[in-house]
């Protein structure tokens, strides 16, 4: 069974390719396959005899989406719609990644897959529209995996930014009233590959939407403190900076973020046997990778 990974140059895409092992997996980055190009998608599915697609491509610049909504919409809605149509034509499944930012963050309880969505910005709205396009076009042959606060060894993310700031400054301020769960890109890739394996073995899956994040829930401030502690322990940072907790209003950004976007991961555990893993283990893995190859 050949698996096609789109968006193979991104954080999750790179991990999917690196963790492929013995699987027949083809990873194509944006320069090799644009997911909004229907003709190119059909050609790629046929050329590689693809039996399952994992879409790791997305517009993830949450703030820039506010000023470039058409571009964000094209990648996050039109792209998944085109992919779903190509998969429907080829009668193959699509595994797709979405986000906790489809929720408004006003719930005190973790969001499960039946919770009402209410995205606060263009990014979340475009991701929700992409989800809906997939549900409509491929109702019986999709898995949508909503994840949160993604970090990995490759690409830009909060961990990389904190490490840079920690080297430059003695003190910094980080938002302490947004709650969520950081998720290692490697854990997302491992989950998607295990879902693909299950499809390969059974030729079917419990289709639908699932939530997956790391454990436990924290704040950006809490995550930053862990990053500095672990970076010091790994020898990547001489001294941890002071991390002042600040409220969201003190760090205004173009896009509003959900205040509480914890995801309830019960369904993926009970139905697919995939356990959410502690994000600290992923953080240590990333820092160790940077220690070997900065
Ligand atoms: N990052 C997060 O914190 C976060 C949180 C929740 C959910 N998610 C979701 O998790 C998934 C993976 O995110 P990530 O962090 O791995 O994102 P990422 O690092 O930004 O990777 C996305 C990749 O998609 C590529 N891409 C953009 N437009 C494309 C197009 N038209 N055709 C093909 N490829 C295209 C990008 O290429 P270029 O770089 O060349 O543009 C990039 O390599 C996404 O669905 C995202 O919405 C992410």
């Amino acid at each position: 069974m050949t698996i096609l990974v789109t968006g193979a140059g991104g954080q999750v895409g790179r991990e999917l390719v690196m963790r492929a092992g013995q699987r027949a997996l083809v990873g194509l980055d944006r320069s090799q396959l644009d997911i909004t190009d229907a003709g190119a998608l059909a050609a790629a599915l046929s050329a590689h005899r693809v039996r399952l697609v994992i879409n790791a491509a997305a517009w993830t610049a949450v703030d820039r989406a506010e000023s470039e909504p058409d571009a964000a919409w094209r990648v996050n809605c039109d792209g998944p719609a085109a992919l779903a149509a190509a998969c429907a034509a080829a009668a193959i499944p699509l595994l797709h990644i979405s986000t906790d930012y489809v929720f408004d963050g006003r719930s005190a309880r973790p969001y499960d897959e039946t919770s009402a969505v209410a995205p606060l910005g263009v990014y979340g709205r475009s991701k929700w529209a992409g989800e809906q396009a997939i549900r409509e076009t491929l109702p019986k042959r999709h898995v949508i995996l909503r994840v949160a606060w993604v970090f990995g060894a490759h690409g830009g993310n909060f961990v990389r930014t904190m490490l840079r700031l920690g080297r430059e400054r003695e003190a910094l301020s980080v938002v302490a009233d947004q709650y969520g769960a950081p998720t290692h890109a490697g854990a997302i890739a491992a989950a998607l590959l295990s879902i693909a394996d299950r499809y390969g073995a059974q030729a079917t899956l419990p289709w639908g939407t699932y939530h997956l994040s790391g454990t436990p829930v924290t704040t950006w401030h809490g995550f930053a403190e862990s990053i500095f502690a672990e970076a010091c322990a790994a020898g990547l940072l001489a001294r941890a900076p002071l991390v002042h907790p600040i409220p969201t209003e003190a760090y205004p950004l173009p896009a509003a973020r959900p205040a509480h976007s914890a995801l309830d991961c019960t369904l993926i555990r009970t139905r697919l046997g995939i356990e959410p893993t502690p994000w600290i283990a992923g953080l240590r893995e990333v820092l160790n990778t940077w220690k070997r190859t900065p």
Side-chain angles (χ1 to χ4, degrees):
M1 183 181 80
T2 300
I3 300 168
L4 173 67
V5 173
T6 54
Q11 294 197 85
V12 175
R14 299 260 317 242
E15 292 286 347
L16 282 161
V17 172
M18 281 173 0
R19 288 164 195 258
Q22 299 302 307
R23 297 175 187 87
L25 184 146
V26 178
L28 300 178
D29 66 19
R30 184 161 63 94
S31 69
Q32 296 164 311
L33 180 62
D34 180 339
I35 61 163
T36 65
D37 183 340
L41 288 177
L45 294 190
S46 152
H48 298 288
R49 297 169 175 273
V50 175
R51 291 286 163 263
L52 178 143
V53 176
I54 304 179
N55 179 33
W59 174 291
T60 55
V62 174
D63 291 311
R64 205 147 55 82
E66 297 297 315
S67 51
E68 298 177 50
D70 294 346
W73 208 270
R74 229 174 112 63
V75 183
N76 289 344
C77 176
D78 300 349
L83 265 172
C87 289
I92 60 172
L94 172 61
L95 312 188
H96 175 73
I97 311 167
S98 192
T99 172
D100 55 329
Y101 280 21
V102 296
F103 300 113
D104 65 11
R106 295 197 177 101
S107 168
R109 291 217 316 270
Y111 290 97
D112 70 23
E113 292 79 355
T114 64
S115 302
V117 301
L120 297 175
V122 171
Y123 169 72
R125 279 197 291 279
S126 65
K127 291 293 292 183
W128 167 246
E131 289 189 13
Q132 288 294 75
I134 292 169
R135 290 188 188 102
E136 279 161 24
T137 307
L138 265 185
K140 293 278 186 324
R141 226 179 288 121
H142 72 263
V143 167
I144 294 168
L145 190 65
R146 290 194 189 125
V147 302
W149 296 24
V150 179
F151 68 94
H154 313 283
N157 56 54
F158 185 77
V159 180
R160 195 182 286 280
T161 303
M162 285 301 114
L163 196 56
R164 177 175 54 78
L165 292 176
R167 285 171 174 153
E168 292 169 2
R169 301 188 193 172
E170 304 229 315
L172 63 156
S173 301
V174 181
V175 169
D177 58 359
Q178 286 171 30
Y179 293 81
T183 314
H184 182 214
I188 299 168
L192 288 166
L193 290 172
S194 103
I195 295 170
D197 290 345
R198 186 171 167 145
Y199 177 76
Q202 302 176 354
T204 187
L205 277 173
W207 307 111
T209 302
Y210 295 91
H211 288 178
L212 180 71
S213 66
T215 59
V217 170
T218 183
T219 64
W220 292 113
H221 176 268
F223 191 28
E225 294 224 286
S226 294
I227 291 165
F228 294 130
E230 293 297 330
C232 288
L236 284 166
L237 197 60
R239 199 164 57 114
L242 280 175
V243 193
H244 300 300
I246 54 164
T248 298
E249 311 87 83
Y251 192 70
L253 289 169
R257 268 83 171 157
H260 285 257
S261 65
L263 298 175
D264 181 329
C265 303
T266 306
L267 192 65
I268 197 164
R269 202 169 49 221
T270 56
R271 203 179 275 175
L272 294 175
I274 293 170
E275 283 293 329
T277 51
W279 49 259
I280 195 95
L283 175 60
R284 287 177 185 145
E285 197 178 317
V286 168
L287 295 173
N288 276 326
T289 304
W290 290 345
K291 205 171 158 183
R292 289 195 304 272
T293 47

